[in-house]
Amino acid sequence: MAVDPSARVHASAVIEDGAVIGPDCEIGPFAVIGPEVTLGRGVVVKSHAVLTGWTEIGDDSTIFPFASVGEIPQDLKFKGERTRLVVGKRTRIREGATLNTGTEGGGGVTRVGDDCLIMTGAHVGHDAQIGDRVVLVNNVAIAGHCVLGDDVIVGGLSGVHQFVRIGKGAIIGAVTMVTNDVMPYGLVQAPRGELDGLNLVGLKRRGVERAEITALRAAYQMLAQGEGTFLDRARRLAEETESRHVREITDFILSASDRSFLTPK
């Protein structure tokens, strides 16, 4: 193992040969660090957390007690192939959360971005791709192969079906099952996941200009009530819009998907 001299490691922690512990890390009592784990600068691993597998944790991230980070996928097709988990900088993984490595068939890497908050009991499944500044509230379950864009919030006790994409800036209400793709900046709620508007609060908090919000509102109405199919409306909107945020929505809708879309009410 390679432990930087500036790291502070509790005497009861287990760090296996091969692990790399970066400068200014803190490893708490009874924590376990596996042989293929790499911790960046200033990572804090609190008591009883377990980090294993081929796992990389970015600078200044914190792993809280009883989190399980880097275990093998919950996939019966997994046969022990060498796959990874990569977690970005300043991400907080709270108590009891579970993050699994990828699978060979899914690309081999589960990825979580920078500045994320993975709350108590949340699960990030194999091959999921989680953007920056994502919040997974308590006991959220993200299934395998899901893609969550930047600034997504998923409310507590919600589940996201495998292969579903959730676009940038979308918000999922609590106790919601999401089985279809969610367009960027969408607001989804109700037990079976209904697209019920835009995440206007999130847009305003991030300082999006009034003109862009107005354009997004108009785009939502066109997608909800315009002529033709949902994809027809998206294509027409893509041709007409000059809004950067609306373009993100149309690009998302018109890209390839393994799931159908939640459509506006």
Side-chain angles (χ1 to χ4, degrees), residues 152-163:
V152 166
I153 298 174
V154 184
L157 297 168
S158 295
V160 181
H161 193 281
Q162 63 184 356
F163 293 103

Side-chain angles (χ1 to χ4, degrees), residues 63-228:
I63 317 298
F64 283 75
F66 303 105
S68 176
V69 179
E71 264 295 356
I72 63 172
Q74 299 179 91
D75 184 340
L76 294 175
K77 298 185 298 298
F78 182 74
K79 302 301 180 185
E81 55 265 28
R82 182 170 165 77
T83 59
R84 302 167 62 201
L85 168 68
V86 178
V87 176
K89 299 178 181 179
R90 299 174 301 278
T91 284
R92 290 163 288 171
I93 300 173
R94 294 302 307 244
E95 297 85 348
T98 57
L99 289 77
N100 294 159
T101 57
T103 63
E104 187 174 51
V109 181
T110 304
R111 196 177 303 275
V112 177
D114 298 338
D115 299 297
C116 293
L117 174 56
I118 313 298
M119 291 193 191
T120 299
H123 172 69
V124 177
H126 59 84
D127 306 294
Q129 305 296 307
I130 309 295
D132 297 336
R133 300 174 300 280
V134 169
V135 178
L136 305 182
V137 183
N138 299 338
N139 298 300
V140 161
I142 305 297
H145 312 283
C146 290
V147 178
L148 277 62
D150 296 343
D151 301 303
V152 166
I153 298 174
V154 184
L157 297 168
S158 295
V160 181
H161 193 281
Q162 63 184 356
F163 293 103
V164 161
R165 300 180 303 150
I166 300 180
K168 178 180 179 180
I171 185 168
I172 310 300
V175 198
T176 298
M177 183 63 211
V178 183
T179 58
N180 299 96
D181 287 355
V182 177
M183 71 181 196
Y185 312 112
L187 165 64
V188 174
Q189 52 191 354
R192 296 304 299 179
E194 298 175 1
L195 184 59
D196 198 25
L198 296 169
N199 182 15
L200 295 174
V201 172
L203 290 163
K204 292 172 182 176
R205 284 178 177 171
R206 288 191 291 277
V208 174
E209 303 90 337
R210 183 183 296 273
E212 285 289 306
I213 292 176
T214 299
L216 283 166
R217 282 175 157 158
Y220 186 88
Q221 289 302 314
M222 180 175 176
L223 289 170
Q225 300 173 0
E227 296 181 358

